[in-house]
Amino acid sequence: MTRRSDGGAAADIAAGLECYWMPFTASRQFKSAPRILVGAQGMHYVRDDGARVLDATSGMWCVMAGHGRAEIAQAVGAQLARLDYVPAFQMGHPGVFDLAARLASMLPEGLDRVFFTNSGSESVDTALKIALAYQQARGQAQRFRLIGRERAYHGVGFGGLSVGGIANNRRGFGPLLPGVDHLRHTHDPARNAFSRGEPEWGAHLADDLERIVALHGASTIAALIVEPFAGSAGVLVPPKGYLRRLREICDRHGILLVFDEVITAFGRLGTAFAADYFGVTPDIMTMAKGITNGSVPMGAVAVRREIHDAFLATDASGTTIEFFHGYTYSGHPVACAAALAALDIYRDEGLFERARALAPYFEDAVHSLEGLPAVIDIRNIGLAAAVELEPRKDRPFERAFEAYLRCFEAGVLIRVTGDTIALSPPLVAGREHVDEIVDVLKKTLKNIN
Ligand SMILES: Cc1ncc(COP(=O)(O)O)c(C=O)c1O
């Protein structure tokens, strides 16, 4: 059998169809009618039958600059030819220092020490470990608790699952980490349905952290982790002032604030980071996805310098390892080359500004879907939006999944999570792409009962 991954690989796909165990997929449904993509350029994917599909989801929130960027391909190829791999421990290479410095120059003031991982999940688990070990390093080892939030998605590692709050992802995996508690989530459709941007109501929901502090004692809490807006739960946008209030409460009680920016970093809100958009700086920030424009797996964790330096201070001799953590592929040369090329594109093409300029048009367009059958809420922020559908009686998730399949057939790739449709187009999208996405959705939703 020839091994190919191009458009003529129908025989190969048939051979591997049963062997491939798919992530987060209804595999029997998929395998009964596989959806196969064989190419991508700009705003479009190409299907195995040659049809083009408009990407309304940036792949999975990661392809910010559009697909098939020659600059990234060139940088990756050159790096592979020059230096394919370097041991990540006790060794360095130019790209990893370049990238750390480059990120530090973009990050909010104060966050300028960067640890590399290979995914969002690894970034989250790394951030949680840094938080715990930091508390220990500064003589607060009794701060062992980690606080997450209901409906949060922080990846699939045991740390991220534990602080995460999506029930389907958690059940089935045992008791998870001990010493974890959750804030209530911020979504209240009765008050905030069809909000444009940040809802007016609900900043006080941040005070739920005070309830948790009262219950456990602040002196036992290491860190709070939140997504600036919850993406995977269906674009749950924080109420105005909510994140600032969380910051204040964390400061009051010596609790580290971690922002999981795996989907918000690199321009989704029209700023480099959501921290910039909301004017709230966390102590630790996770990233992944857009760091390489989705081209090569990579993640990163940025921390305040004092956090990093507290690790160094634990050993006056300067000869022992300060943080017993890392991955074979931390700061992989090829991922660094891809990331540096992606960051160049973001800067040279002004993509964050471009996203900011398109956001009001995008907002108007998605809110024009209000009033269609079964649409019970529409939410948006930056270039992210959700259209929530009323679940069918006794058959949750079915309606949105049907919309997903129909949109794909009509040439638009959307994402669904439960009965919510999520849209997050690449930052290179133009008004014509927004129009097409919304037109196809409109026609689709009109015909789904
Ligand atoms: C906020 C957030 N954190 C973590 C992750 C996990 O990232 P990965 O799938 O790269 O492990 C995701 C993935 O969507 C995410 O949205």
Side-chain angles (χ1 to χ4, degrees), residues 119-121 124 153-155 227 232 260 262-263 289:
S119 67
S121 298
V124 167
Y153 185 66
H154 296 297
E227 301 160 88
S232 296
D260 183 352
V262 164
I263 60 167
K289 299 205 186 237

Short mmCIF file of all heavy atoms in Angstrom, two decimals, residues 119-121 124 153-155 227 232 260 262-263 289, ligand 1:
data_model
loop_
_atom_site.label_atom_id
_atom_site.label_comp_id
_atom_site.label_asym_id
_atom_site.label_seq_id
_atom_site.Cartn_x
_atom_site.Cartn_y
_atom_site.Cartn_z
N SER A 119 1.35 21.72 24.13
CA SER A 119 -0.10 21.77 23.94
C SER A 119 -0.72 22.64 25.02
O SER A 119 -0.05 22.99 26.01
CB SER A 119 -0.71 20.37 24.04
OG SER A 119 -0.58 19.90 25.37
N GLY A 120 -2.00 22.89 24.85
CA GLY A 120 -2.72 23.64 25.89
C GLY A 120 -2.82 22.84 27.18
O GLY A 120 -2.65 23.38 28.27
N SER A 121 -3.11 21.55 27.05
CA SER A 121 -3.25 20.72 28.25
C SER A 121 -1.95 20.72 29.05
O SER A 121 -1.97 20.81 30.28
CB SER A 121 -3.60 19.29 27.85
OG SER A 121 -4.83 19.25 27.18
N VAL A 124 -1.49 23.98 30.85
CA VAL A 124 -2.31 24.10 32.06
C VAL A 124 -1.68 23.30 33.21
O VAL A 124 -1.52 23.81 34.32
CB VAL A 124 -3.75 23.62 31.79
CG1 VAL A 124 -4.52 23.44 33.08
CG2 VAL A 124 -4.47 24.61 30.88
N TYR A 153 -13.00 24.81 30.48
CA TYR A 153 -12.21 23.78 29.79
C TYR A 153 -10.74 24.13 29.91
O TYR A 153 -10.32 25.22 29.49
CB TYR A 153 -12.60 23.68 28.31
CG TYR A 153 -11.89 22.54 27.61
CD1 TYR A 153 -12.14 21.23 27.97
CD2 TYR A 153 -10.94 22.78 26.62
CE1 TYR A 153 -11.48 20.17 27.35
CE2 TYR A 153 -10.27 21.73 25.99
CZ TYR A 153 -10.55 20.43 26.37
OH TYR A 153 -9.89 19.38 25.76
N HIS A 154 -9.99 23.23 30.51
CA HIS A 154 -8.55 23.46 30.63
C HIS A 154 -7.78 22.26 30.10
O HIS A 154 -6.73 21.90 30.64
CB HIS A 154 -8.18 23.73 32.09
CG HIS A 154 -8.80 24.99 32.66
ND1 HIS A 154 -8.50 26.24 32.16
CD2 HIS A 154 -9.69 25.19 33.66
CE1 HIS A 154 -9.19 27.16 32.84
NE2 HIS A 154 -9.92 26.55 33.75
N GLY A 155 -8.31 21.63 29.07
CA GLY A 155 -7.61 20.51 28.47
C GLY A 155 -7.91 19.21 29.18
O GLY A 155 -8.81 19.12 30.02
N GLU A 227 -10.45 30.76 32.32
CA GLU A 227 -10.33 31.25 30.95
C GLU A 227 -10.89 32.68 30.97
O GLU A 227 -11.96 32.90 31.56
CB GLU A 227 -11.20 30.43 30.00
CG GLU A 227 -10.89 28.94 29.94
CD GLU A 227 -12.09 28.17 29.38
OE1 GLU A 227 -12.17 28.01 28.14
OE2 GLU A 227 -12.96 27.74 30.18
N SER A 232 -14.59 26.62 25.11
CA SER A 232 -15.12 25.31 24.75
C SER A 232 -16.51 25.07 25.30
O SER A 232 -17.26 24.26 24.76
CB SER A 232 -14.17 24.22 25.23
OG SER A 232 -12.94 24.34 24.55
N ASP A 260 -5.98 31.12 31.60
CA ASP A 260 -5.76 30.13 30.56
C ASP A 260 -6.11 30.79 29.23
O ASP A 260 -7.28 30.91 28.86
CB ASP A 260 -6.63 28.89 30.82
CG ASP A 260 -6.38 27.80 29.79
OD1 ASP A 260 -5.66 28.06 28.80
OD2 ASP A 260 -6.91 26.68 29.98
N VAL A 262 -5.23 29.81 26.20
CA VAL A 262 -4.93 28.90 25.09
C VAL A 262 -5.69 29.29 23.82
O VAL A 262 -5.15 29.19 22.72
CB VAL A 262 -5.21 27.44 25.51
CG1 VAL A 262 -5.29 26.50 24.31
CG2 VAL A 262 -4.10 26.97 26.46
N ILE A 263 -6.92 29.78 23.96
CA ILE A 263 -7.62 30.22 22.73
C ILE A 263 -7.69 31.74 22.59
O ILE A 263 -8.03 32.23 21.53
CB ILE A 263 -9.04 29.63 22.61
CG1 ILE A 263 -9.92 30.05 23.76
CG2 ILE A 263 -9.00 28.14 22.45
CD1 ILE A 263 -11.37 29.75 23.49
N LYS A 289 -1.93 26.74 20.75
CA LYS A 289 -2.70 27.00 19.52
C LYS A 289 -2.08 28.06 18.59
O LYS A 289 -1.25 27.75 17.78
CB LYS A 289 -4.13 27.39 19.89
CG LYS A 289 -4.83 26.24 20.66
CD LYS A 289 -6.31 26.25 20.54
CE LYS A 289 -6.96 25.21 21.41
NZ LYS A 289 -7.79 24.29 20.72
C1 LIG B 1 -8.80 27.23 27.38
C2 LIG B 1 -8.17 25.96 26.93
N1 LIG B 1 -7.23 25.38 27.68
C3 LIG B 1 -6.63 24.24 27.31
C4 LIG B 1 -6.96 23.62 26.13
C5 LIG B 1 -6.29 22.33 25.76
O1 LIG B 1 -5.45 22.51 24.70
P1 LIG B 1 -4.89 21.23 23.90
O2 LIG B 1 -6.04 20.62 23.19
O3 LIG B 1 -3.84 21.83 22.99
O4 LIG B 1 -4.28 20.33 24.91
C6 LIG B 1 -7.93 24.19 25.31
C7 LIG B 1 -8.31 23.55 24.04
O5 LIG B 1 -9.20 23.94 23.36
C8 LIG B 1 -8.56 25.38 25.72
O6 LIG B 1 -9.53 25.94 24.98
#
